[in-house]
Amino acid sequence: MDEKVGITDRLGVAEPLRLVSVVGGSSVDDVVAGAAHRLGGLLAGEGFAVVTGGRTGVAEAVCRGAVENGGLTIGLLPSTDPGTANPWVLVRIPTGLGDARNSLVAAAGEVVVAFPGGWGTRSEVALAGVHGRPVIVVGDWLEPDTGSRFVRVPDPEAALVAVRRVLATRGD
C-alpha cells in the first residue's frame, strides 16, 4: 500500500504544531538580537513553530535561531512581495495589509513573546490582548497592564518557562 507522507510526518511531529508569535523592534541592538536568537532556538527545541512579521530585527534573529535548531518559521509580511522576508523565514505569507498585519501576527500564536520595540511592537502587544492571547514581555521595557495575561520575564530561558506554563494553564 502506497502511504502518503504529510508535512507533519516529514517534520517528525505526530500532532499539529503549536505556534508562538514573537514580536519586537525592526532595528535592535546586539543584546536584544542575541536574546531573540536564543529564544528561537529554545522554542524550536521544544517543537514550537515561530510566527513573526517576517522582516528584520527581532523577527530575523528569532527566525535564525529557530531554523538553526530545526524549527519552522512563519512570516506574515506587510507587503505582497514574499521577497521582503528575511532569509530565515521558511513559510512566507505576503498579506498586502501593511501594518494591519500586526493583528494577524498577534492572533496567530497561542501566546505572544514581546521584545523591545516601538509603536508597531506595542500595537502587536495591544492586539494580542484584544485577541485574548497571553503576552510574555522579555525585559523591563514595557509597562504591564493590569490584566492577568501579561507576564514579565528577564531573559529567553525564563520566557520559554513562561510559554510552557501559560500553555499548560490553557488546558491544551
Side-chain angles (χ1 to χ4, degrees), residues 22-128:
V22 180
V23 301
S26 59
S27 178
V28 295
D29 63 28
D30 290 343
V31 173
V32 173
H37 179 264
R38 279 198 333 269
L39 179 65
L42 292 167
L43 290 171
E46 293 282 320
F48 294 108
V50 173
V51 178
T52 69
R55 295 183 33 200
T56 61
V58 166
E60 186 168 4
V62 74
C63 286
R64 182 171 61 93
V67 169
E68 289 175 348
N69 288 279
L72 177 66
T73 58
I74 302 164
L76 300 171
L77 304 167
S79 74
T80 58
D81 180 2
T84 61
N86 74 64
W88 304 101
V89 175
L90 299 178
V91 178
R92 299 168 180 208
I93 302 174
T95 68
L97 295 173
D99 290 334
R101 72 77 158 86
N102 290 358
S103 185
L104 299 176
V105 174
E110 293 179 63
V111 62
V112 175
V113 179
F115 283 91
W119 289 111
T121 303
R122 285 171 170 78
S123 77
E124 289 165 320
V125 168
L127 288 163

